[in-house]
Amino acid sequence: MSENLEEGESILVLSHTNTAVDEIKRNLVGNAAKLLEYPHCVSTIQEFVDRFLAIPYYESKYKRSVEIIDE
């Protein structure tokens, strides 16, 4: 599957629930396991927002690292 991607392309799969993410990851293990590695991303919407938007914004604005994220 990932061998059909052009250079610089990646896949983003977002779900609302952890259960759905776990099911997607379970189905990708094997032939499509490379899609679970960088630069691809399979995660919940909240995890994606925290990792790529909220935390980088916080660290840029306040010039300090996030120590704790309250779940």
Side-chain angles (χ1 to χ4, degrees):
M1 180 188 264
S2 62
E3 61 272 358
N4 296 332
L5 295 174
E6 298 290 326
E7 181 68 31
E9 291 183 328
S10 59
I11 294 177
L12 171 63
V13 178
L14 297 178
S15 173
H16 185 68
T17 65
N18 288 324
T19 303
V21 168
D22 293 342
E23 180 70 19
I24 292 164
K25 287 181 177 180
R26 198 170 26 259
N27 284 299
L28 289 176
V29 172
N31 293 334
K34 284 210 170 258
L35 295 177
L36 297 174
E37 302 170 4
Y38 180 85
H40 312 294
C41 180
V42 178
S43 70
T44 63
I45 296 166
Q46 187 63 54
E47 180 183 9
F48 180 84
V49 168
D50 287 347
R51 183 174 178 189
F52 295 106
L53 302 174
I55 292 172
Y57 174 78
Y58 177 91
E59 291 175 343
S60 173
K61 180 169 177 70
Y62 297 106
K63 307 295 186 228
R64 54 189 273 204
S65 297
V66 172
E67 294 177 23
I68 295 174
I69 296 178
D70 187 334
E71 296 180 11

